[in-house]
Each structure stands twice: as C-alpha cells, then as structure tokens.
Amino acid sequence: MTTTFVSAPQFFLTSESVTEGHPDKICDQISDAILDEIIAQDPDARVACDCMVTTGLVFVTGEITTDAYVEIADIARKTVLDIGYDRAKYGFDGETCGVVISIKEQSADIALGVDEALEAKQGTMEACDNVEVLGAGDQGMMIGFACTETPEYMPLPISLAHKLCRRLAEVRKNGTLSYLRPDGKSQVTIEYRYGKPVRADTVLVSAQHHPDVPRSQIVADIVEHVIRAVIPAELLDDKTRYLVNPTGRFVTGGPKGDAGLTGRKIIVDTYGGAARHGGGAFSGKDPTKVDRSAAYMTRYIAKNLVAAGIAERLEVQVSYAIGVAHPISITVETFGTGAIPDDQIVELVKKNFDLRPGAIICDLDLWRPIYKAIAAYGHLGRDDLDLPWERLDRVEELKKQAGLS
C-alpha cells in the first residue's frame, strides 16, 4: 500500500461511520458513561466495562475495582434516553428496557503488573510517584496516524463519514427531518490521484425512519439536508454516486434490529481503515489500559510530527508487554512522504515523548471524565472538543530538532 497509494494515478479509499443510535455505539457510550462516573469519584479505579444490547435488554459486565459507588442501571438508562430511544415504537426504550449487571473485580494477577511495573520492581526506573511506576495493563500494539488531507490532520473519508452521521443526528434532533430515528450509518468513498484526494466517488447514507414516510422523500431529504450540507461541493461531480437506504426500508433499527457490543467499531473510532490497527478497543477502559492511552498518545505524536512538516502522511506504532512500563518497540512509517529518514523520526519520538503508561496519563491528563463525549463520532480528529491528544504544542520544537525551522 505504501508505494501504491502515493504513486498510483487512481486509488479509492472507503471509510464508514455510525450514529450514536447504532447498537454498537449505544454500548460504547454506556461503557464510557460508567467509566466517567467512576473515575470522577475515584482516580485510582481500574475499569474494564463492557456492554451488550438487544431487544429490550442492556447487559453490563466487566472487571471494576473501585471505592466509588455508582448506579450502573441508572447510567445505562440515561444514556439510552439521551441518545433518543425514549419510546417503545422506536424498538427500544430507556425507561422500560431491562438492565442486567454482572461485574467482578480486576484480576489480582493483572494488578501485580499494572500497579508496579517490572522496571520499578527491578530498580531500573526512578519511582518518583505512584503514577510513574505504572506498568502496561496488557500486551499489544497501538497505532497513531496523521496526514495533511484535512485541517484536523485526519484522512478525508473518515472525516466526512463522521460529519454525515453527526448531521443525521442534528437534523433528527432539531426537527428538520423529524421522521428520522436514532440508528444510522454512512460510508464515503474518495478517489485519490497520486496520494491526493480529488473527488467523492460514492456517498452512502442509511437512516432509520418512521414507517409511513415514502422512500422518495427520504432520498431527496437526505441528499439535500445531509449529504450536500456536509460534502464540499468541489468534491461532488456528475459521476458521484448517491446511495440512500439502498434496501428500500430502514424502520426496524437499534437493538431491536441488531444486537450491539462494546468495542465492535474500532475502525470507526480511529482512522477508517486508512491506517493499520492493533486490534484493541477503547470504550469502557480506564487509561492504565494502553489500548486506549497509548493509542491517544501515538495520535498526538503523529499529529505534531505532520504539523511540523516532518511528513505529509505518518503512522506511529508502539508495542507493550503487560506489566512493563517502557514500550518494547517503536516504529514509524511515512509512506514515502518523509522530510527526513524514518529512523531519525523514531529518534525524535524517543527523545521528545515519554511512552510509559503513567507518563502518558500525566501528559495527556487522562484521569478525567472525558470519555462518553468521544464514544460516538470518533475518538480522534475531534475539532469540536478540546482533547489533549489533538493539541499542536510540540510542533516548533520538533521542527527545530528536525532542522526544518
């Protein structure tokens, strides 16, 4: 893909997003709402909260160790109601759905490595405070990415797909298209030429709706009030294909139409398939879990490096061993767009960014109840929120060290 994407005269990339009323996203939001309530009371909590929804039922499970007390059922119901599932005819109702809870404490064996990293036990890492000696909560690899395609340094297909889904929610809630219901999806295919996005090839929107609204009206309304309101006119041409509710009907949706699970939309949450993915989900996990915190940190690194002009397209991968603070590998890929060699960029990363879990938590201020707000419409590239991993506060120093200032 590295040489093909940059050198190909024609290349197509597709990304999807889903609305906050999609069954999987309902679960992500419930999991993160529970996490937020717990860490607001107890910053030493260990939370791994998963959720499943189906017709008339929310099931909450996971491993949670905390001194806090939260009403998990109330949080789940409020989240469902806030999304818009507030009446039975939508197929799901936060007031009347059942909530089943099965929670246990975090494994003591895992806590051995998280609470004190291997380096601290061996005396090879300065233990300046409790946070600094945290070990990684699991093994795995995390990937951060940034590119110059959009002002927020995100790939254009996923950026547009998120905006379409947010627009679907907006026109539903403000009454512009009052017949819409909470479930929905989008998908955008962008044509690239020599690595640059040039046009929207296909735009797909599926929106749950009232049963009595004719499909012709839905298609016309979605094209006018959603697609054309989001996709820049210069990307649309007479060959752009519009697909709206292509099955012809989308009345049965939400948990009645499809069971949902926490963590099943990891590509939607990240870069829409434009970058690799380590496989770890975010929602419901406290920041000692590097699936979450290191993914945010690598995004922060990649975004600042790209903004500094070090590459136009850049991917950073780190990997961890459970109970070990320092990453066991750091890799950079610039897809042929680097201003300096990749090995020099790796050295810049090592010099300027502390990738120990405790340091990431401190640098990005992750022990705060900020997670429910990003559980839908993407964790990355969010220009509507002041997220620490989206800040460009390392650019000038990186430019200077790279010899580009």
Side-chain angles (χ1 to χ4, degrees):
M1 179 178 175
T2 299
T3 55
T4 301
F5 181 82
V6 175
S7 62
Q10 187 180 59
F11 186 90
F12 294 89
L13 183 62
T14 301
S15 296
E16 73 158 345
S17 184
V18 299
T19 67
E20 63 207 66
H22 185 280
D24 295 330
K25 276 293 142 197
I26 296 172
C27 295
D28 287 343
Q29 290 167 91
I30 292 172
S31 293
D32 275 336
I34 292 167
L35 170 66
D36 278 355
E37 289 291 331
I38 290 172
I39 64 175
Q41 299 180 39
D42 180 11
D44 294 320
R46 298 290 183 267
V47 181
C49 181
D50 292 301
C51 180
M52 185 272 286
V53 295
T54 188
T55 305
L57 180 65
V58 177
F59 188 89
V60 181
T61 186
E63 298 78 46
I64 300 176
T65 301
T66 183
D67 293 329
Y69 177 78
V70 299
E71 289 284 0
I72 289 176
D74 289 351
I75 295 169
R77 291 185 185 281
K78 183 178 187 305
T79 302
V80 171
L81 291 169
D82 288 346
I83 290 168
Y85 288 108
D86 55 4
R87 58 202 70 184
K89 66 181 181 180
Y90 289 180
F92 201 64
D93 181 3
E95 294 283 2
T96 60
C97 66
V99 180
V100 178
I101 302 166
S102 179
I103 300 290
K104 60 183 182 294
E105 291 188 342
Q106 181 188 60
S107 163
D109 295 343
I110 294 175
L112 282 173
V114 176
D115 295 341
E116 186 179 21
L118 179 66
E119 295 97 323
K121 294 171 184 174
Q122 294 176 337
T124 58
M125 181 172 71
E126 182 182 356
C128 56
D129 59 50
N130 185 52
V131 174
E132 291 295 330
V133 301
L134 291 175
D138 203 351
Q139 69 178 43
M141 54 277 189
M142 297 82 216
I143 291 164
F145 179 83
C147 62
T148 57
E149 292 176 20
T150 61
E152 63 270 25
Y153 295 91
M154 288 288 285
L156 183 60
I158 188 65
S159 178
L160 293 176
H162 284 323
K163 289 175 181 177
L164 287 170
C165 281
R166 291 177 68 181
R167 179 63 179 169
L168 270 181
E170 181 183 354
V171 296
R172 168 175 63 90
K173 293 177 178 179
N174 68 19
T176 301
L177 302 181
S178 58
Y179 58 79
L180 293 182
R181 291 176 175 176
D183 200 355
K185 289 179 143 183
S186 70
Q187 188 168 285
V188 178
T189 300
I190 295 294
E191 179 184 342
Y192 290 77
R193 295 174 191 163
Y194 300 104
K196 305 295 183 183
V198 295
R199 58 180 292 274
D201 182 75
T202 305
V203 182
L204 166 61
V205 175
S206 294
Q208 187 188 13
H209 59 88
H210 188 284
D212 295 337
V213 182
R215 181 169 183 268
S216 58
Q217 180 183 346
I218 296 170
V219 172
D221 285 346
I222 294 295
V223 170
E224 178 183 355
H225 295 288
V226 178
I227 295 175
R228 292 192 181 277
V230 167
I231 308 293
E234 62 268 22
L235 293 176
L236 302 174
D237 57 29
D238 56 1
K239 294 182 180 180
T240 300
R241 188 182 186 195
Y242 303 103
L243 295 172
V244 177
N245 286 9
T247 68
R249 177 180 167 91
F250 188 3
V251 172
T252 302
K256 184 179 180 181
D258 190 11
L261 291 170
T262 297
R264 200 158 58 176
K265 285 290 177 284
I266 56 176
I267 299 300
V268 171
D269 288 342
T270 53
Y271 306 102
R276 299 172 181 88
H277 198 293
F282 299 157
S283 290
K285 297 178 181 178
D286 74 72
T288 67
K289 280 71 170 174
V290 284
D291 280 340
R292 172 164 237 159
S293 54
Y296 295 161
M297 188 61 164
T298 51
R299 162 63 179 173
Y300 175 59
I301 294 168
K303 185 175 181 180
N304 276 269
L305 288 169
V306 169
I310 292 170
E312 294 182 11
R313 191 175 190 89
L314 188 143
E315 186 180 87
V316 181
Q317 183 194 84
V318 297
S319 63
Y320 290 88
I322 188 169
V324 180
H326 292 279
I328 57 178
S329 70
I330 303 172
T331 306
V332 167
E333 168 67 78
T334 56
F335 306 92
T337 70
I340 61 176
D342 289 358
D343 59 345
Q344 292 183 26
I345 300 175
V346 171
E347 292 307 311
L348 281 177
V349 173
K350 292 178 179 178
K351 180 179 179 181
N352 290 278
F353 301 94
D354 192 336
L355 289 164
R356 295 176 298 167
I360 293 173
I361 291 169
C362 288
D363 288 345
L364 299 183
D365 196 14
L366 296 181
W367 275 121
R368 295 180 294 138
I370 59 174
Y371 300 109
K372 181 176 179 289
I374 54 174
Y377 310 118
H379 292 239
L380 310 166
R382 294 291 294 268
D383 55 8
D384 58 318
L385 300 168
D386 182 20
L387 300 174
W389 53 90
E390 295 297 328
R391 295 173 186 166
L392 295 172
D393 52 4
R394 303 288 189 97
V395 172
E396 293 307 317
E397 182 59 29
L398 290 168
K399 274 185 181 179
K400 180 179 177 182
Q401 293 182 29
L404 301 176
S405 58

